[in-house]
Amino acid sequence: MKIFLRLLILLTYISVINANSQECIIVQNGEDMTIYYDSCLDDAFNDALDGSTIYISGGNFSFCDGATVVDKKLTIFGAGVYPVATTATNRTKINGNLKLRPGAEGTILTGLKFNELQATVDDITISRCNFTTLVPQAHINNWLIEESIFDGINSSAFKSSYFIIMKNFINTFHSTNTYSLRYVNSSQINNNAFLGDPYIRFDRLYDNIISNNIFSAHVGYFYYFCSDNFTFNCILTNFNSLSSSNNVDSNTLINQSAANHFVSYGSGNNTPFSFSNNYNLKDESAGKEYGTDGYDVGVYGTDDPFKDNALPFNPHIQEAVVANKSLNGGIKVKLKIEAQSK
């Protein structure tokens, strides 16, 4: 209860600051709390101790004094990335790329929008974020990427191993030599919606379990220089083959129409991700209860499906009403707060 009340106090600060169009960062080091009224993240990140929790309000933030490097273990909360769910707080956007360097092992990022993520460390959790691409800059292991929106994992040589990639919207756009996932090994790739139309879905993937995913149209190859992957109970829209003799496939539904599966999707099989679409499966979809676990394929499968609006799991302000003038020396603030489950 003490921790919960502390979170409510923090969120109240954030709500009031947002109502006055000023960004706010809160760093919690054990029982100590420091508040930064700033859109520059440098001081807050530099002052945070290893193991600290950082709460970033809605708004636009930058690392103003240098590179966007995280070199300590942090838990970083934003206000969320879905526009409809952040009307009271605004989305939390970090401008520029993030770089995870030695010392950042064990870091958790949730509720944040940022650009490219460059990494050289193991044991990272990315949950309910919106970013462009993960670019490994060393061999990295043991990551969890869940319930997020991103364009892919793309490395020119460095491998990503022992990943869990689940319940994400992976939204790769077509251009020459674009990839959804590249150099991913020995990983679980389950219950994702692969959208957009990359030239190559999977490049140099080895020894992965790929199950219960929905793949929209793509232009070139499904597998390219891939081997020893096992694909189970997936749906391919507008494509009639996995086109590979070095990988094992079971129960993939081919040459499907995306419009026959998603509740709302737009036009064409290569429509990119949109916050306005509904990626639940239609009642008549062949993907209903078609997963290897008996649940739906796609992000709304498993016994713990994708959470609508993908809010971070700390208490979140759904509604904030701040009086525009003081009364008896105080300002009346009305908050509606709800915590979304993990």
Side-chain angles (χ1 to χ4, degrees), residues 136 138-141 155 157-161 163 182-185 206:
H139 193 145
I140 58 177
N141 303 284
S155 170
F158 298 114
K159 298 178 176 64
S160 306
S161 299
F163 272 42
R182 197 171 193 227
Y183 285 104
V184 177
N185 297 340
Y206 306 101

Side-chain angles (χ1 to χ4, degrees), residues 208-210 222-223 226-234 242 244-252:
N208 298 285
I209 302 296
I210 304 166
F222 187 88
Y223 285 127
C226 298
S227 66
D228 301 313
N229 298 289
F230 295 84
T231 305
F232 301 102
N233 297 58
C234 292
L242 298 181
S244 175
S245 59
N246 300 315
N247 303 280
V248 177
D249 170 59
S250 178
N251 297 324
T252 291

Side-chain angles (χ1 to χ4, degrees), residues 152-228:
I153 299 176
N154 194 351
S155 170
S156 60
F158 298 114
K159 298 178 176 64
S160 306
S161 299
Y162 308 109
F163 272 42
I164 296 176
I165 302 169
M166 62 185 302
K167 293 181 292 186
N168 300 287
F169 295 101
I170 301 174
N171 192 42
T172 316
F173 297 100
H174 174 65
S175 64
T176 302
N177 296 329
T178 53
Y179 315 89
S180 292
L181 300 179
R182 197 171 193 227
Y183 285 104
V184 177
N185 297 340
S186 305
S187 295
Q188 301 280 332
I189 304 167
N190 304 328
N191 287 94
N192 301 283
F194 287 82
L195 306 174
D197 59 341
Y199 182 68
I200 297 170
R201 276 295 177 200
F202 297 146
D203 179 41
R204 293 167 174 81
L205 266 63
Y206 306 101
D207 194 31
N208 298 285
I209 302 296
I210 304 166
S211 66
N212 309 334
N213 302 285
I214 299 178
F215 297 90
S216 72
H218 62 283
V219 176
Y221 301 87
F222 187 88
Y223 285 127
Y224 189 76
F225 289 108
C226 298
S227 66
D228 301 313

Side-chain angles (χ1 to χ4, degrees), residues 4 38 62 113 143 165 183 242 333:
F4 181 72
D38 200 345
S62 300
K113 179 176 173 59
W143 281 48
I165 302 169
Y183 285 104
L242 298 181
V333 178

Side-chain angles (χ1 to χ4, degrees), residues 33-239:
M33 180 179 69
T34 305
I35 303 173
Y36 302 80
Y37 302 113
D38 200 345
S39 62
C40 292
L41 296 166
D42 306 83
D43 288 344
F45 275 68
N46 290 335
D47 294 345
L49 302 177
D50 189 72
S52 294
T53 299
I54 298 179
Y55 303 89
I56 306 176
S57 74
N60 290 293
F61 296 84
S62 300
F63 285 86
C64 301
D65 295 335
T68 56
V69 172
V70 176
D71 57 2
K72 61 191 78 173
K73 178 183 177 180
L74 299 172
T75 298
I76 306 172
F77 286 97
V81 298
Y82 270 66
V84 69
T86 55
T87 55
T89 61
N90 295 322
R91 292 185 290 176
T92 301
K93 180 180 179 181
I94 298 176
N95 299 307
N97 302 330
L98 287 179
K99 301 176 182 179
L100 302 181
R101 295 294 183 254
E105 293 86 351
T107 287
I108 298 172
L109 306 176
T110 183
L112 302 166
K113 179 176 173 59
F114 48 92
N115 293 337
E116 186 176 278
L117 181 61
Q118 303 170 6
T120 62
V121 297
D122 302 334
D123 303 310
I124 301 297
T125 296
I126 310 295
S127 180
R128 301 174 187 174
C129 289
N130 183 191
F131 59 101
T132 55
T133 308
L134 168 60
V135 181
Q137 297 180 324
H139 193 145
I140 58 177
N141 303 284
N142 302 319
W143 281 48
L144 170 63
I145 306 178
E146 63 172 358
E147 296 190 89
S148 294
I149 306 159
F150 66 104
D151 289 349
I153 299 176
N154 194 351
S155 170
S156 60
F158 298 114
K159 298 178 176 64
S160 306
S161 299
Y162 308 109
F163 272 42
I164 296 176
I165 302 169
M166 62 185 302
K167 293 181 292 186
N168 300 287
F169 295 101
I170 301 174
N171 192 42
T172 316
F173 297 100
H174 174 65
S175 64
T176 302
N177 296 329
T178 53
Y179 315 89
S180 292
L181 300 179
R182 197 171 193 227
Y183 285 104
V184 177
N185 297 340
S186 305
S187 295
Q188 301 280 332
I189 304 167
N190 304 328
N191 287 94
N192 301 283
F194 287 82
L195 306 174
D197 59 341
Y199 182 68
I200 297 170
R201 276 295 177 200
F202 297 146
D203 179 41
R204 293 167 174 81
L205 266 63
Y206 306 101
D207 194 31
N208 298 285
I209 302 296
I210 304 166
S211 66
N212 309 334
N213 302 285
I214 299 178
F215 297 90
S216 72
H218 62 283
V219 176
Y221 301 87
F222 187 88
Y223 285 127
Y224 189 76
F225 289 108
C226 298
S227 66
D228 301 313
N229 298 289
F230 295 84
T231 305
F232 301 102
N233 297 58
C234 292
I235 293 177
L236 276 64
T237 69
N238 199 37
F239 201 72

